[in-house]
Amino acid sequence: MKHPPPPPRRCGVVVAVVALVLLACLQIQYHHLKVDLGKAGFASGTQDNRIHSGTSRKPAPATTNSLSLPRGIVERHSDMYLRPLWDDSATATHKSKKDDHNALLAMAVGISQIKNVDIMTRKFLKENYAVMLFHYDGNVDGWRHLEWSDKAIHILAHNQTKWWFAKRFLHPDVMAIYDFIFLWDEDLGVENFNPRRYLDIMVSEGLEITQPALDPDLSTDIHHRITIRNKMTKVHRRIYDNRPSMNCSDESKGPPCTGWVEGMAPVFSRAAWKCVWHLIQNDLIHGWGLDMKLGYCAQGDRSEKVGVIDSEYVVHQGIPSLGGPSLSSKTPRRSLDLRTHIRRQSSAELERFKERWNRAVREDEGWRDPFES
């Protein structure tokens, strides 16, 4: 009886190849599993920490996505200084040794206010402060003829407010190089204002959030008494008003009697801005309601850390250029309707901001109101 011939040697080779392929597949699957687990761990370890003022539970330290880099190469911050394409050593430093402060002026501007913005910008550039212009009307080329135009940062987005721009382009990590942030409207007269003297006062008085006082004789749009200039003082932090609707006295602990500035011309310290940036709501672009809560970012007692500086004051011209011309008998109906819609939107955003604040206070059991009596 004949036995079947032994299997060819090549069969053993095929088996070995199949085994190697299976092993390779298992190794690839294992590698993918490791990557997926690493991503999950990274995501859980880099959640945003609570922005707090020392009144809530201390957040756990977060890991950073720079751990894979050697410590000496990590650049944590940026700035808004323009860098030349050559001979960088000539501008290696942008701050004079005699400068006490490093500051940024940021404004939302339109071409109709170019003359006033020109005056404002020159005052800040003279002190070697940075300037960033947010163009809401789409016209950037109209500013090119100004001698300082190339020294400023120009950002364009149609029909957006300064709060929209600030949330997207003034992140605290980028602003960390600056000691102070001026987030101003474009319609301020600065004939009696010097930014360097202003910051000197802010520092000497221990203020974190301020605004220049408004000239009551020349300003056309004053909404709150606390913003009016007091000719007898250098700084004021509160007002006194016996009217039932106000009832402001030494016993008052918060807005609108003390610890408050208006949204037209606020100035923030670096620490205050880090908090304020998180307070700005991404979708509420008109900023209504923010002024009543800025004191929570004052790095302490808002009745002491928030103030109006009287000796360096401005004129509020009250020109509503964003969204159309101001209301008048000659204003076309379409422009009037635009202003009406903007005001309605602002009022609606104010209510939404209040609702979010109240909901956040209810839901955050670890937060305690530092100003609650």
Side-chain angles (χ1 to χ4, degrees), residues 169-204:
F169 299 104
L170 301 185
H171 189 279
D173 284 351
V174 180
M175 295 296 104
I177 191 69
Y178 302 108
D179 303 312
F180 299 97
I181 309 296
F182 292 75
L183 188 57
W184 279 15
D185 288 355
E186 61 183 332
D187 60 344
L188 301 176
V190 293
E191 181 180 352
N192 298 292
F193 179 85
N194 180 285
R196 180 176 297 280
R197 289 200 300 263
Y198 184 93
L199 294 181
D200 286 342
I201 295 171
M202 194 168 169
V203 171
S204 65

Side-chain angles (χ1 to χ4, degrees), residues 9-311:
R9 184 173 298 177
R10 63 187 178 189
C11 291
V13 175
V14 171
V15 171
V17 170
V18 170
L20 289 173
V21 170
L22 288 175
L23 180 61
C25 289
L26 288 174
Q27 288 180 331
I28 292 173
Q29 288 180 345
Y30 174 71
H31 175 72
H32 287 172
L33 179 61
K34 264 179 43 172
V35 170
D36 290 341
L37 290 174
K39 287 181 178 178
F42 172 77
S44 64
T46 55
Q47 297 297 318
D48 289 342
N49 281 336
R50 177 200 304 272
I51 302 300
H52 65 99
S53 57
T55 60
S56 58
R57 293 190 299 265
K58 185 177 180 181
T63 59
T64 70
N65 58 356
S66 62
L67 292 180
S68 59
L69 300 175
R71 193 173 301 176
I73 200 63
V74 175
E75 187 75 32
R76 297 189 181 277
H77 304 296
S78 185
D79 58 52
M80 291 297 168
Y81 291 124
L82 299 175
R83 305 286 175 173
L85 294 177
W86 61 88
D87 193 19
D88 188 53
S89 60
T91 55
T93 176
H94 296 264
K95 186 180 178 188
S96 172
K97 293 181 179 180
K98 66 178 182 179
D99 289 347
D100 297 323
H101 318 297
N102 207 2
L104 170 78
L105 169 66
M107 294 185 291
V109 302
I111 197 67
S112 63
Q113 289 292 311
I114 187 171
K115 289 184 179 180
N116 194 65
V117 173
D118 180 32
I119 296 172
M120 297 171 69
T121 301
R122 288 177 186 275
K123 287 219 168 188
F124 282 81
L125 290 177
K126 182 180 179 181
E127 302 298 341
N128 203 28
Y129 298 155
V131 173
M132 181 183 293
L133 301 182
F134 305 130
H135 297 272
Y136 58 74
D137 61 354
N139 191 336
V140 178
D141 290 339
W143 301 76
R144 297 300 183 192
H145 68 281
L146 298 173
E147 63 181 64
W148 51 261
S149 181
D150 289 341
K151 299 177 183 178
I153 302 293
H154 299 267
I155 298 176
L156 186 155
H158 288 274
N159 290 329
Q160 300 303 313
T161 70
K162 70 178 182 182
W163 301 106
W164 184 94
F165 283 106
K167 187 65 174 179
R168 287 151 182 82
F169 299 104
L170 301 185
H171 189 279
D173 284 351
V174 180
M175 295 296 104
I177 191 69
Y178 302 108
D179 303 312
F180 299 97
I181 309 296
F182 292 75
L183 188 57
W184 279 15
D185 288 355
E186 61 183 332
D187 60 344
L188 301 176
V190 293
E191 181 180 352
N192 298 292
F193 179 85
N194 180 285
R196 180 176 297 280
R197 289 200 300 263
Y198 184 93
L199 294 181
D200 286 342
I201 295 171
M202 194 168 169
V203 171
S204 65
E205 293 286 334
L207 296 167
E208 299 285 339
I209 301 175
T210 65
Q211 75 160 80
L214 303 182
D215 186 330
D217 299 322
L218 299 177
S219 297
T220 60
D221 201 7
I222 297 180
H223 300 110
H224 305 277
R225 279 195 56 195
I226 197 171
T227 64
I228 298 176
R229 183 191 179 208
N230 184 339
K231 297 180 180 180
M232 306 299 293
T233 62
K234 181 169 61 175
V235 175
H236 71 268
R237 294 174 169 84
R238 65 173 61 244
I239 57 168
Y240 299 91
D241 194 327
N242 295 325
R243 291 178 298 172
S245 60
M246 295 287 288
N247 193 26
C248 294
S249 66
D250 285 326
E251 302 301 318
S252 302
K253 301 300 182 182
C257 304
T258 187
W260 186 86
V261 297
E262 199 168 3
M264 74 179 74
V267 183
F268 305 101
S269 69
R270 182 193 300 112
W273 177 249
K274 185 175 183 179
C275 173
V276 170
W277 185 89
H278 287 86
L279 179 64
I280 299 171
Q281 303 296 289
N282 191 61
D283 59 327
L284 306 183
I285 64 172
H286 292 286
W288 282 29
L290 285 175
D291 53 357
M292 299 298 289
K293 304 302 181 184
L294 290 178
Y296 286 90
C297 294
Q299 313 302 300
D301 186 350
R302 62 186 173 187
S303 65
E304 295 294 329
K305 298 291 187 178
V306 180
V308 178
I309 297 181
D310 298 294
S311 57

